[in-house]
Amino acid sequence: MNVAYPQSDFVSPQHTVEGFIKLVQDGFENPERRRGTVRVTVQDYPQLGFRARFADELLVDRPEGDYDADTEIKFPISTLELIFREFDIVDWRSPEIIGSTELAGDQSLAFLLAFSCLRPSDWTLQRFASVERLHRDRGYRNGVEVQRLNAPSQYQLLEAMEDSRPVIVSGLEPSPPCRDWSLERLEAEYGDVVVCMRSASDHVTMRQFVDELRTFENTPTKAGSSLEFKAYTEGSGLPDEMWANFGPMYFDAEDFVPPQLWLGSVATGVPATPLHRDPLTGFLFQVVGRKRLDLYSADQADLLYPYKSYNNYQKCWFQPDRPDHDRYPKAREAKCISVELHPGELLVQPAGWFHQVYALDSPTMSVSYFWRY
Ligand SMILES: [Fe+2]
């Protein structure tokens, strides 16, 4: 894997674009055998634009004259430099990237290209490898009990984390106040607070967002339609004003990366978050509605077809909600552990566990934190 990809000193725009193309081609995977054509335009340097065609490999050329494309992507050269320089941490949803990129046509092809640019850091690779070893040694793929602990001590949590065992914490009431949250209470307490939507360019107040959620909830055709059309913050930053009620538990705020907010209306029959794993231990605090998480131990990586190219989290090609066992035959053997999280409960999910998340109720709200260590 391309962890030690040579860094560019960006001697010229051409050098940047050629390096970017190599990054995308080396990281390209196409098990779904998608076909299509993407026109990539480099703003200010039209001669450096290129055509990318999906085959078993990614074919890149610069044809003479015009051609049809399914997807159009326009970047300034500075965005390509950013991706090329920071492929191990870059987030496509960050304002620097999403705000500078123009996208039209079939977005799914653009997303596949976007993942092809990413690479895990050495640290992430080592973390996944050591967790996989531990799970294999303990036989976790044959099942592990997810305990529900009532108001455990920090020590108990550390023990579970050391064993890489997920646990559900209950009995956290009344501090922090984790019962009886509703759209009305969110509106009353945080009406003027600014909530960032995932696209980062979208900022609305909690009052506006709650209004939107009500409309959404009252329009069943919207609520049941698709993941693309949803009123969901999808892990945007938790507003500072909400820290007092939903701030980190058990450890200091400094021990966590900034918390994320998952608030919105989602279809309950499809995953709110598709199957993936994170290199850090996650704390998921459930506030409104119930959630179900389907967990797969890390020693089942060989059965779940994880992406080759990723950085901050690793998605899987296999989708348990739409199982394609002809394409992904080994997934037949994968065993999952389903856990249900209720309002006021906290799931501590050690690094490396694959998971797929369903909202069982809509609207839903959770706050998540990643432990830094
Ligand atoms: Fe996750």
Side-chain angles (χ1 to χ4, degrees):
M1 203 44 217
N2 181 19
V3 179
Y5 198 90
Q7 294 287 340
S8 169
D9 53 4
F10 306 125
V11 290
S12 69
Q14 183 175 355
H15 181 254
T16 301
V17 173
E18 295 309 323
F20 177 78
I21 289 172
K22 182 161 171 32
L23 194 63
V24 181
Q25 282 186 306
D26 286 354
F28 184 75
E29 292 178 284
N30 194 7
E32 308 278 343
R33 304 184 80 83
R34 294 291 309 275
R35 295 291 180 260
T37 298
V38 181
R39 187 191 337 263
V40 179
T41 304
V42 184
Q43 287 159 359
D44 304 330
Y45 297 95
Q47 73 280 13
L48 295 179
F50 58 90
R51 173 173 71 172
R53 281 175 297 155
F54 280 57
D56 291 340
E57 297 186 340
L58 189 69
L59 308 172
V60 172
D61 62 2
R62 293 190 173 97
E64 297 285 325
D66 202 13
Y67 58 88
D68 289 334
D70 303 291
T71 307
E72 304 274 352
I73 307 176
K74 286 186 188 167
F75 293 115
I77 193 80
S78 57
T79 300
L80 291 184
E81 286 182 2
L82 178 74
I83 295 163
F84 193 16
R85 191 190 311 122
E86 301 188 352
F87 47 73
D88 56 343
I89 52 168
V90 75
D91 184 344
W92 281 95
R93 298 160 301 192
S94 69
E96 295 82 21
I97 296 195
I98 228 159
S100 65
T101 305
E102 287 177 38
L103 197 56
D106 181 350
Q107 302 211 347
S108 66
L109 296 180
F111 293 144
L112 288 174
L113 283 193
F115 274 98
S116 305
C117 298
L118 308 179
R119 299 293 185 274
S121 65
D122 285 342
W123 186 89
T124 297
L125 286 174
Q126 284 162 14
R127 166 57 63 94
F128 284 155
S130 71
V131 174
E132 280 177 40
R133 236 179 354 256
L134 188 146
H135 287 200
R136 203 174 307 120
D137 290 349
R138 308 254 169 122
Y140 281 1
R141 73 162 65 190
N142 299 317
V144 57
E145 188 198 352
V146 178
Q147 285 183 301
R148 249 192 172 78
L149 300 176
N150 188 54
S153 63
Q154 188 198 53
Y155 181 76
Q156 279 177 288
L157 285 195
L158 283 168
E159 261 186 339
M161 287 154 71
E162 180 76 19
D163 285 347
S164 191
R165 279 185 287 113
V167 290
I168 294 175
V169 175
S170 58
L172 292 168
E173 310 84 354
S175 178
C178 49
R179 271 194 185 279
D180 303 328
W181 284 93
S182 61
L183 293 186
E184 290 66 35
R185 189 167 163 203
L186 286 169
E187 188 179 21
E189 297 212 16
Y190 303 119
D192 295 327
V193 166
V194 173
V195 181
C196 296
M197 302 301 289
R198 195 43 156 166
S199 76
S201 52
D202 260 349
H203 293 90
V204 293
T205 63
M206 182 63 86
R207 186 168 297 109
Q208 288 169 317
F209 190 56
V210 165
D211 255 1
E212 199 180 319
L213 293 188
R214 286 202 187 101
T215 308
F216 211 86
E217 292 293 322
N218 293 330
T219 317
T221 47
K222 280 188 179 180
S225 57
S226 77
L227 281 176
E228 278 150 39
F229 191 74
K230 58 185 175 182
Y232 193 38
T233 62
E234 257 187 305
S236 62
L238 180 75
D240 291 347
E241 297 87 340
M242 297 176 74
W243 272 61
N245 278 322
F246 304 109
M249 285 169 267
Y250 283 99
F251 298 94
D252 295 334
E254 296 74 33
D255 293 327
F256 294 94
V257 300
Q260 294 173 285
L261 174 65
W262 306 84
L263 168 65
S265 287
V266 290
T268 50
V270 294
T273 309
L275 187 64
H276 71 282
R277 63 173 164 176
D278 306 296
L280 292 173
T281 293
F283 284 57
L284 181 67
F285 180 52
Q286 190 59 24
V287 182
V288 176
R290 297 161 304 149
K291 270 196 171 155
R292 190 185 92 217
L293 284 93
D294 292 344
L295 308 173
Y296 296 80
S297 55
D299 55 338
Q300 302 187 77
D302 57 323
L303 309 179
L304 299 173
Y305 302 84
Y307 279 36
K308 178 174 80 170
S309 300
Y310 65 95
N311 59 7
N312 303 320
Y313 62 97
Q314 186 178 28
K315 286 189 10 162
C316 294
W317 289 103
F318 176 66
Q319 297 176 292
D321 56 305
R322 283 182 288 160
D324 184 345
H325 289 125
D326 291 336
R327 210 183 288 280
Y328 307 112
K330 289 193 233 165
R332 280 184 207 281
E333 296 168 42
K335 293 196 187 98
C336 105
I337 302 169
S338 284
V339 298
E340 204 174 294
L341 206 56
H342 297 255
E345 291 184 328
L346 170 73
L347 173 71
V348 180
Q349 178 186 262
W353 278 83
F354 292 94
H355 50 289
Q356 178 163 265
V357 185
Y358 286 87
L360 298 180
D361 301 304
S362 185
T364 179
M365 176 175 160
S366 320
V367 177
S368 68
Y369 315 88
F370 282 116
W371 204 54
R372 287 187 186 276
Y373 314 108

